[in-house]
Amino acid sequence: TATTAPANAFENRLNDKYADAPATTGTQPKDLGVKTRKSRTEGSYVGLKMCGNSPNCLASSNPYADLPVRTIEGWNAANNGGSIRDVKKVIDTYEVGHDDIDGGGYKVMEYDEKENYLYVQFQSYKAGYIDDFECWYNPKKGQFDVRSSSRVGYSDLGVNNLRLEYIARRLGEEFKWTFERSGNGMLA
């Protein structure tokens, strides 16, 4: 559901050019976080929310058979020595506007080092769309699960993939994390 409201733009946005424009933020999902979830193929799983059918989301928690086209592999911290702190460090120095995305800035909404969970909202520059990004260490898999999803619309024009690629590239370069890549060299 799309809602139009004053932008209340994040403080770290590129500039104030569109800061006062009405933003189409959508509604924050009430079912984010780590929960026991229903699987389409395996009964249930513990993890992050599965994507819907529209191509504006990527996630790694749900069983692959549930939604192959939107499911990516979990992320591997360096020698199992990495932690959610690595992801938080990358987010804390996130380059707003890289690849012409997230020019409206971002805000860490929840960070729980003990539970190895991070939730961040990213905002588009002009329209003020909000996307939700989550990362959580899944002890059953021994990997970090991620989810990046748009709240509004059908297509995201590849924004969530670009965001995940940026974060993964930084984690690989700065903390030696590793990632399964598809045949095109991308995460998805």
Side-chain angles (χ1 to χ4, degrees):
T1 304
T3 57
T4 302
N8 297 323
F10 296 129
E11 293 179 10
N12 53 8
R13 67 182 297 108
L14 280 176
N15 57 45
D16 290 336
K17 184 174 181 180
Y18 300 102
D20 294 328
T24 307
T25 59
T27 303
Q28 180 177 333
K30 296 182 185 327
D31 54 353
L32 296 178
V34 179
K35 301 180 183 334
T36 299
R37 301 183 181 276
K38 186 176 181 182
S39 167
R40 295 177 181 173
T41 60
E42 297 182 19
S44 66
Y45 70 95
V46 174
L48 304 176
K49 181 179 178 176
M50 181 171 39
C51 295
N53 291 324
S54 61
N56 62 5
C57 177
L58 294 166
S60 64
S61 277
N62 55 279
Y64 181 80
D66 282 358
L67 194 63
V69 71
R70 308 272 169 263
T71 304
I72 62 173
E73 294 291 327
W75 294 359
N76 300 299
N79 301 322
N80 292 326
S83 74
I84 198 69
R85 288 187 307 272
D86 296 348
V87 183
K88 177 76 163 53
K89 286 177 186 175
V90 167
I91 295 299
D92 285 344
T93 58
Y94 189 85
E95 182 186 348
V96 171
H98 74 85
D99 298 307
D100 293 324
I101 69 167
D102 301 329
Y106 64 91
K107 183 175 182 182
V108 173
M109 304 304 290
E110 185 177 344
Y111 175 59
D112 188 332
E113 197 170 312
K114 183 179 176 211
E115 296 298 322
N116 282 300
Y117 177 78
L118 174 66
Y119 167 44
V120 183
Q121 292 180 357
F122 291 90
Q123 189 170 36
S124 68
Y125 186 51
K126 293 179 183 176
Y129 297 121
I130 298 285
D131 291 348
D132 300 295
F133 168 81
E134 298 176 277
C135 185
W136 166 69
Y137 180 73
N138 184 332
K140 184 175 180 182
K141 290 182 177 178
Q143 294 180 311
F144 282 83
D145 277 333
V146 294
R147 180 178 186 275
S148 189
S149 180
S150 301
R151 293 180 183 176
V152 177
Y154 181 74
S155 174
D156 67 351
L157 303 175
V159 167
N160 286 291
N161 193 44
L162 288 170
R163 179 180 305 116
L164 291 176
E165 287 289 344
Y166 172 88
I167 295 168
R169 179 183 56 77
R170 295 258 327 263
L171 286 167
E173 290 172 358
E174 297 170 29
F175 301 101
K176 308 300 181 220
W177 285 37
T178 59
F179 310 89
E180 293 291 324
R181 301 218 174 250
S182 62
N184 65 5
M186 304 288 282
L187 295 170

